[in-house]
């Protein structure tokens, strides 16, 4: 069983997601969603139930194929639609902005309201923590807790969980297999050139992520050396750095995950004290990431890895 992630890292990732999505408005919903599945389940899908899923909150039994799923996790929302469970989803939280057709509401994933969730008459709820699991259990609504991934295999495992829980196991298995294949190909293309250093910025504080984190493991696929690994108090995986620390480390590459939220760019970095002469800025090696993709652990980690791989190849002159 995967442990529920309650450390600061999970809270920080949530904060970044909130900031990154703050510019788009959710569709208010004071009443239950009218969304309904667009197609009937096949006999084989029905035969897969009852299903037992080993989630972070223990073994959860799903009695029958869910037809009214509520997701209050943007990552879970992306995964549900990727595995073909979109027609079963009747409501998602305000930050679930991908894919565009997801039925966004004003539900909160950070301070979830049991009453607001129940208003959508769910037969399955997907969350990234267990704050509402006990309350929903009282009204016989199963909750699948799929927390922030701490390693790449966690991302694959959570997608597989959702496939089993929703009756879309075959499609989920294919999504995972395709992700693994794509990630392996990207890693194989990693250059054998010089060991490049990098800095991944979560926000303008600045907080960073070390190699021991989920995001750090993706960078490690490309042989990159993380300057944050030598930061004081880096044990938690998400150290708060000083501008001076980054300037002294002078990374070859800088990746910004605070573009949507904080309008950061090569230009804004050059205006920070002591940063104008950094190699990454002078060599045009500042990479603006999509805040959402960089803070979620669903199918689009392949997109993130692709962007990182391209930046590495460019920096190595390929």
């Amino acid at each position: 069983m995967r442990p529920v992630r309650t450390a600061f890292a999970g809270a920080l990732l949530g904060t970044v997601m909130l900031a990154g999505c703050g510019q788009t408005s959710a569709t208010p919903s004071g009443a239950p969603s009218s969304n309904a599945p667009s197609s009937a389940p096949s006999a084989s899908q029905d035969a897969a139930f009852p299903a037992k899923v080993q989630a972070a909150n223990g073994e959860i039994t799903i009695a029958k194929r869910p037809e009214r799923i509520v997701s209050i996790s943007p990552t879970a929302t992306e995964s549900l639609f990727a595995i073909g469970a979109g027609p079963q989803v009747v409501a998602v939280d305000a930050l679930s902005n991908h894919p565009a057709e997801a039925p966004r509401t004003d539900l909160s994933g950070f301070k979830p309201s049991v009453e607001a969730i129940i208003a959508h008459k769910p037969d399955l709820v997907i969350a990234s923590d267990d704050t509402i699991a006990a309350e929903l259990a009282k009204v016989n609504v199963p909750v699948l807790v799929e927390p922030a991934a701490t390693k790449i295999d966690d991302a694959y495992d959570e997608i597989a969980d959702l496939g089993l829980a929703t009756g879309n196991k075959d499609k989920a298995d294919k999504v995972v297999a395709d992700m693994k294949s794509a990630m392996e190909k990207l890693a194989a293309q990693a250059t054998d050139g010089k060991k490049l250093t990098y800095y991944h910025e979560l926000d303008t504080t600045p907080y960073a992520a070390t190699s021991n984190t989920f995001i750090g493991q993706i960078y490690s696929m490309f042989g990159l050396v993380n300057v944050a690994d030598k930061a004081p108090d880096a044990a938690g995986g998400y150290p708060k750095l000083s501008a001076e620390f980054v300037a002294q480390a002078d990374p070859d590459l800088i990746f910004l995950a605070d573009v949507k939220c904080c309008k950061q760019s090569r230009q804004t970095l050059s205006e920070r004290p002591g940063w104008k002469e950094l190699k990454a800025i002078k060599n045009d090696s500042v990479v603006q990431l999509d805040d959402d993709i960089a803070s979620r652990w669903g199918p689009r980690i392949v997109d993130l890895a692709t962007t990182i791989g391209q930046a590495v190849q460019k920096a190595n002159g390929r």
Side-chain angles (χ1 to χ4, degrees):
M1 173 172 57
R2 295 183 307 275
V4 176
R5 185 170 180 165
T6 56
F8 168 73
L12 180 57
L13 283 172
T15 301
V16 172
M17 284 196 295
L18 177 61
C21 302
Q23 298 173 34
T24 55
S25 59
T27 302
S29 82
S33 169
S34 61
N35 286 19
S38 61
S39 60
S42 66
S44 61
Q45 287 174 320
D46 278 337
F49 294 90
K52 294 184 182 296
V53 183
Q54 195 68 42
N57 55 327
E59 184 178 81
I60 306 301
T61 299
I62 314 295
K64 62 181 181 178
R65 185 176 187 267
E67 299 293 346
R68 298 191 62 83
I69 300 171
V70 171
S71 170
I72 54 172
S73 162
T75 296
T77 298
E78 293 190 15
S79 297
L80 286 165
F81 277 80
I83 65 173
Q88 298 161 256
V89 178
V90 296
V92 301
D93 68 290
L95 298 185
S96 286
N97 56 357
H98 182 85
E101 63 267 28
R104 292 176 68 194
T105 68
D106 57 3
L107 291 174
S108 171
F110 293 105
K111 294 182 179 180
S113 164
V114 172
E115 292 77 12
I117 292 171
I118 292 175
H120 292 277
K121 301 179 180 178
D123 50 15
L124 177 64
V125 173
I126 314 295
S128 58
D129 62 54
D130 63 352
T131 55
I132 56 169
E135 289 300 311
L136 286 173
K138 294 177 181 178
V139 290
N140 298 316
V141 176
V143 178
L144 208 63
V145 177
E146 301 292 349
T150 59
K151 54 185 183 294
I152 296 175
D153 282 346
D154 288 347
Y156 302 144
D157 187 56
E158 292 190 9
I159 293 171
D161 284 353
L162 294 178
L164 184 60
T166 63
N168 294 278
K169 182 180 183 302
D170 290 346
K171 182 63 182 294
D173 289 347
K174 185 178 187 307
V175 168
V176 170
D178 289 347
M179 289 172 66
K180 288 182 176 180
S181 176
M183 295 291 272
E184 288 170 0
K185 288 179 181 178
L186 288 168
Q189 294 169 3
T191 178
D192 292 327
K194 67 175 183 177
K195 288 287 186 180
L196 298 173
T197 58
Y198 79 96
Y199 160 60
H200 176 92
E201 180 168 289
L202 288 166
D203 64 19
T204 56
T205 306
Y207 277 104
T210 70
S211 298
N212 292 326
T213 63
F214 173 78
I215 188 73
Q217 289 186 12
I218 296 178
Y219 283 108
S220 294
M221 290 170 46
F222 301 95
L224 294 174
V225 178
N226 194 338
V227 299
D229 289 348
K230 295 184 178 180
D233 302 319
Y238 295 87
K240 179 179 179 181
L241 306 180
S242 67
E244 293 77 16
F245 177 90
V246 178
Q248 290 175 6
D250 195 10
D252 296 302
L253 289 156
I254 294 177
F255 295 88
L256 299 176
D258 51 1
V259 177
K260 290 181 182 178
C261 71
C262 312
K263 307 296 183 185
Q264 293 305 292
S265 65
R266 179 187 177 197
Q267 178 59 39
T268 61
L269 295 189
S270 69
E271 296 169 359
R272 296 183 186 181
W275 285 39
K276 186 176 182 180
E277 298 301 316
L278 292 184
K279 291 195 295 283
I281 293 175
K282 293 174 66 175
N283 298 334
D284 192 21
S285 293
V286 176
V287 183
Q288 291 179 285
L289 301 173
D290 181 300
D291 298 24
D292 297 331
I293 294 176
S295 63
R296 297 175 189 174
W297 54 97
R300 291 196 292 170
I301 63 171
V302 175
D303 296 343
L304 175 61
T306 299
T307 299
I308 295 171
Q310 290 171 344
V312 172
Q313 290 188 6
K314 178 183 175 183
N316 277 297
R318 293 176 61 183

